[in-house]
Amino acid sequence: MTSQRTKIRILAGAAVLGSVSALVTPASAAAGSHSERAQGGAVVSVEQVADLTAEEVSGELRGKIDSSQVRYGVTAYRVTYRTTDSAGAPTTASQLVALPKNKAHHLSTVSWLHGTTVYRKDVASENPKSSDRLAALLFASTGRAVSAPDYVGLGSGEGFHPYGDPRATVAASVDGLRAARTVAHRNGRELKQKVQVSGFSQGGPATMLVGRALQQEGADRYFRLGALAPVSGPYNLSAFEAAAADDKIAKSGIYLAYFVTAWNKMYGLYASPGDAFRSPYDRKVEGLFDGHHTAGQIVSELPAASKDLFTEDFLNKIRKPDGVLKDKLRPMDNTCDWRPNVPVEIFHGRGDKDVDFSHAAYCADQLTRNGAARRLTDVGDYDHNGSVRQALPRIVRFFDESAKTD
């Protein structure tokens, strides 16, 4: 049986239950007045959170991510900006914007989309030791500007995190790019139009969603899609949730509880917690996923297995969804069902026990059926978090290669 320490370590940076849909209005076209839409990406505040030499960046990465590609120091900022939530209403979100300390005026741009995070402070803009802060530092140290959104409801943003909601995902990401461009301007820099998009686990399907929004849906007047590099994502969400209900994935109960409580807020999956959760967990599960509890606190309070946490009737609804759940899940299984006109490389690890390798193959097959060129790369026999650490240096090389074809 997996130890609690191991469960906490894996869960803290892991990311599952990604979210995406082709049938979503881009963030820039979310509901609201023209003035509300126009302010998407407007900068509310900027605070410098890091100013590192190249040697210091290498030191931060050492022992975690290969630092051989580091070339420049990095200055990073916590940026709060205006965006929209899952209902299309105006709100604020935060992100990390990282800029290389070089003399280049025009910078290539990376949008880095993080994985599942239950504690709002465990994001790139807030936690210097988070894997997402390290990813941003790596990309920026190679001479790129980085926009690493915390998503709606995490970091210093307002409200709750609508976990897995496609509209809010696009909003935070595209508006984050706009805000990053403003920050770059204030530093005398310009971001190039083409955006290289990458993300891990939950951020894997989000990568495909944001890519489609930029290429096909006119999400922004300036930015264009440059390349896609998703890592270890659950691209068939219906199958992932069914596997979680059957306890066929690691930490199934925790992942499923996060998903269910968030989707209940958005879509109303149950009338009362007792309809979904067994006693005594029905009295505390919603409070644990309020964004103010750490992964460790949640793991210590809830069973890891879905069969011990959920009622059997509710698990059957996850296994064979109908009604609103079926309607909302269906498009989430099609995040790769389009034809990117840019290079695509899908990364995964065959040792991943959180998101099975079959999800990467599923995404690749959908792209192939649409006539898209793509590569599917197995980074080795690594677990979920290990897969992204192995993938990141490869993504840098892939982005370098892709830029040569522009």
Side-chain angles (χ1 to χ4, degrees):
M1 182 176 180
T2 306
S3 69
Q4 180 168 308
R5 176 178 295 180
T6 300
K7 287 189 289 188
I8 293 173
R9 177 183 59 80
I10 296 175
L11 181 66
V16 165
L17 306 181
S19 59
V20 285
S21 166
L23 310 176
V24 184
T25 304
S28 58
S33 69
H34 175 75
S35 61
E36 288 170 349
R37 295 197 301 271
Q39 69 183 2
V43 172
V44 175
S45 65
V46 179
E47 178 185 359
Q48 183 175 303
V49 294
D51 187 24
L52 306 174
T53 65
E55 292 75 17
E56 288 170 332
V57 172
S58 294
E60 293 292 324
L61 299 178
R62 190 170 297 119
K64 302 165 187 172
I65 300 171
D66 179 14
S67 62
S68 61
Q69 294 162 305
V70 172
R71 295 170 58 197
Y72 307 107
V74 176
T75 305
Y77 306 88
R78 179 187 302 118
V79 180
T80 303
Y81 58 97
R82 299 192 186 282
T83 188
T84 49
D85 63 16
S86 59
T91 188
T92 61
S94 56
Q95 68 170 331
L96 185 81
V97 173
L99 301 176
K101 296 170 69 172
N102 61 8
K103 296 181 179 179
H105 177 69
H106 291 85
L107 299 173
S108 297
T109 308
V110 169
S111 177
W112 173 255
L113 306 178
H114 71 73
T116 298
T117 305
V118 294
Y119 179 49
R120 64 163 52 238
K121 298 297 184 182
D122 273 342
V123 289
S125 74
E126 297 279 353
N127 184 354
K129 301 301 181 183
S130 73
S131 58
D132 299 298
R133 172 74 68 92
L134 298 182
L137 291 178
L138 174 64
F139 286 124
S141 74
T142 65
R144 297 169 167 88
V146 181
S147 166
D150 300 328
Y151 303 150
V152 173
L154 296 173
S156 57
E158 300 171 333
F160 83 100
H161 175 47
Y163 184 40
D165 176 71
R167 177 157 65 173
T169 298
V170 170
S173 304
V174 176
D175 288 338
L177 284 167
R178 296 182 182 123
R181 189 182 179 203
T182 297
V183 173
H185 278 157
R186 293 179 182 180
N187 282 271
R189 323 288 285 273
E190 176 61 84
L191 303 189
K192 295 180 180 178
Q193 284 186 295
K194 289 193 174 181
V195 181
Q196 300 169 323
V197 187
S198 183
F200 169 56
S201 199
Q202 178 188 352
T207 293
M208 303 306 295
L209 174 62
V210 171
R212 180 160 48 193
L214 290 172
Q215 177 179 302
Q216 296 185 344
E217 299 169 1
D220 188 74
R221 293 181 178 179
Y222 177 78
F223 288 108
R224 300 292 179 267
L225 183 60
L228 293 165
V231 185
S232 302
Y235 308 102
N236 186 349
L237 192 57
S238 294
F240 180 86
E241 301 302 350
D246 288 335
D247 287 318
K248 292 182 178 179
I249 64 171
K251 304 169 299 296
S252 55
I254 307 300
Y255 282 131
L256 191 54
Y258 194 16
F259 169 79
V260 167
T261 53
W263 278 41
N264 185 63
K265 289 181 180 179
M266 293 184 286
Y267 309 129
L269 302 186
Y270 53 79
S272 68
D275 295 334
F277 300 97
R278 295 182 183 275
S279 178
Y281 309 114
D282 58 329
R283 295 190 291 273
K284 59 182 176 180
V285 64
E286 290 183 333
L288 288 171
F289 290 100
D290 62 357
H292 299 288
H293 289 79
T294 66
Q297 289 172 324
I298 293 171
V299 169
S300 68
E301 293 286 334
L302 300 178
S306 293
K307 65 181 178 61
D308 297 325
L309 180 55
F310 291 88
T311 66
E312 186 62 21
D313 284 347
F314 191 80
L315 289 177
N316 285 332
K317 293 179 181 179
I318 298 296
R319 295 175 182 123
K320 296 181 179 180
D322 59 14
V324 66
L325 179 60
K326 182 178 180 180
D327 291 341
K328 296 299 182 180
L329 279 172
R330 186 183 298 112
M332 308 304 184
D333 300 336
N334 297 309
T335 62
C336 300
D337 193 11
W338 56 292
R339 184 176 180 174
N341 58 16
V342 299
V344 182
E345 186 161 6
I346 306 163
F347 295 87
H348 208 99
R350 61 180 178 272
D352 193 336
K353 303 302 182 185
D354 293 57
V355 183
D356 189 78
F357 188 81
S358 62
H359 285 272
Y362 175 91
C363 178
D365 288 345
Q366 285 190 323
L367 291 170
T368 299
R369 287 199 299 271
N370 283 283
R374 88 295 186 280
R375 295 199 305 233
L376 180 59
T377 298
D378 177 3
V379 299
D381 190 16
Y382 294 94
D383 66 12
H384 196 55
N385 286 344
S387 68
V388 69
R389 290 192 291 268
Q390 294 297 316
L392 281 165
R394 292 174 168 90
I395 294 170
V396 171
R397 291 192 289 271
F398 169 63
F399 283 167
D400 287 343
E401 174 188 313
S402 301
K404 294 176 182 177
T405 65
D406 288 347

